[in-house]
Amino acid sequence: MFSTVRRLAVRPARLGRTMATAPTGQYAGQKNSRGNYEVTLIPGDGIGPEISKSVERIFAAAQVPVEWEAVDVTPVLRDGKTVIPDEALHSILRTKIALKGPLATPIGKGHVSLNLTLRRTFNLYANVRPCKSVPGFRTHYDN
C-alpha cells in the first residue's frame, strides 16, 4: 500500500505538471458562421450580473471570438425535484461550454443549492481555479 501511495505522490512531478494544469479534454465546440464560439452565460444573482458584464467587456476588449447566450437558471420543480430550466439546459448542451457567475446558496433545510443542481446535472465535481502570484505582492499563498 505504501509503495502505491508513494508512486502516486511522485507521479505528477515526473510528468512535469500539477493536476491544475493537466489537460482535461479537448473542447468540441465549433465556430458559428460569424467565426465566433457560442458560449452559454449564466449571469448568476447578487453580484453575479455585475461580474458577468465585466467579463463580457474584458472578453470584448481582448477580442476573444465568443458570442454570449445568456440564460436564466432559476430552478423549477419537476416531479418534486429541483431542476435547471429546459432552455438553459439545452443551451449548455448545444454550446458545450458555459460561464457561470456567482449564485447564492440557500441556507436551511428543504432548499437545494442551484450550484449543486448544476454540478449534479453535468457531473461536475471539481472546482479548479489555477492562479499565479503577482511578483512583488505578498499573499497568503504563493502560486
Side-chain angles (χ1 to χ4, degrees), residues 16-61:
R17 297 188 150 163
T18 65
M19 295 305 284
T21 61
T24 57
Q26 195 73 343
Y27 176 58
Q30 300 290 321
K31 289 187 176 183
N32 62 20
S33 61
R34 293 173 295 284
N36 296 320
Y37 292 102
E38 293 178 345
V39 177
T40 301
L41 178 65
I42 303 169
D45 52 27
I47 63 169
E50 182 179 347
I51 291 172
S52 296
K53 275 290 176 207
S54 294
V55 168
E56 287 182 81
R57 287 195 303 270
I58 291 166
F59 274 54

Side-chain angles (χ1 to χ4, degrees), residues 5 48 64 69 73 75 90 101 115 124 132-133 135 140:
V5 172
V64 178
E69 182 176 316
V73 292
H90 294 309
N115 293 304
L124 303 171
K132 294 255 182 197
S133 300
H140 289 290

Side-chain angles (χ1 to χ4, degrees), residues 69-127:
E69 182 176 316
V71 296
D72 179 22
V73 292
T74 302
V76 295
L77 282 176
R78 186 174 299 137
D79 298 326
K81 293 185 178 183
T82 304
V83 296
I84 300 167
D86 286 341
E87 177 188 331
L89 183 64
H90 294 309
S91 176
I92 295 168
L93 292 172
R94 183 179 49 74
T95 64
K96 297 178 180 56
I97 190 166
L99 181 66
K100 179 188 78 66
L103 291 166
T105 300
I107 298 173
K109 294 183 179 181
H111 301 283
V112 177
S113 159
L114 188 52
N115 293 304
L116 179 59
T117 301
L118 284 164
R119 285 197 311 267
R120 285 180 176 166
T121 301
F122 294 102
N123 291 323
L124 303 171
Y125 293 95
N127 187 4

